[in-house]
């Protein structure tokens, strides 16, 4: 029996379909009987652009174990990638004359 329970996620991204690259704005995610896979049930994700009518899509069907492993790897890639791409924090600078809110352009200029 099919549940027809679909979770929708709004996205900003792109995917490569049969016509080439396309913008995607929606993922339809469900766990049910597959369309193509030989598994009994799959986690299916259809990536579409509903803003352009949703006619084209990129679809995946994954076993439950594969889907869970993919979620873990996505989270790990985001964590390590964001850490690697964070801008370096600049050290806090004290004003040259030691008074808050007033810095002299050259420390030798203080008399």
């Amino acid at each position: 029996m099919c549940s027809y329970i679909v979770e929708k996620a709004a996205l900003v991204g792109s995917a490569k379909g049969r016509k080439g690259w396309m913008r995607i704005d929606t993922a339809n995610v469900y766990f049910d009987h597959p369309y193509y896979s030989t598994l009994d049930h799959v986690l299916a994700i259809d990536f579409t652009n509903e803003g352009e009518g949703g006619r084209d899509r990129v679809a995946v069907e994954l076993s439950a174990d594969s889907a869970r492993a993919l979620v873990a790897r996505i989270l790990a890639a985001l964590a390590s990638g964001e850490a690697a791409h964070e801008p370096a924090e600049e050290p806090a600078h004290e004003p040259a004359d030691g008074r808050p809110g007033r810095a002299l352009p050259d420390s030798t200029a203080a008399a």
Side-chain angles (χ1 to χ4, degrees):
M1 174 182 225
C2 295
S3 68
Y4 300 107
I5 298 171
V6 177
E7 299 290 335
K8 286 185 163 275
L11 306 174
V12 174
S14 55
K16 191 170 183 181
R18 60 188 181 107
K19 295 180 182 177
W21 284 98
M22 61 186 233
R23 288 192 174 102
I24 56 173
D25 64 8
T26 305
N28 297 304
V29 184
Y30 53 96
F31 185 76
D32 221 322
H33 298 288
Y35 175 79
Y36 181 80
S37 173
T38 58
L39 297 168
D40 188 39
H41 288 88
V42 296
L43 179 86
I45 308 171
D46 292 333
F47 298 99
T48 65
N49 188 326
E50 289 186 359
E52 294 179 3
R55 290 176 294 281
D56 293 322
R57 70 182 187 133
V58 174
V60 296
E61 295 179 341
L62 304 169
S63 71
D65 288 342
S66 295
R68 287 184 181 97
L70 179 59
V71 167
R73 297 298 80 205
I74 288 171
L75 293 174
L78 284 170
S80 62
E82 287 174 339
H85 294 285
E86 282 183 353
E89 288 188 32
E90 293 192 27
H93 296 287
E94 292 293 323
D97 65 357
R99 291 187 288 170
R102 183 165 182 266
L104 298 176
D106 179 22
S107 64
T108 60

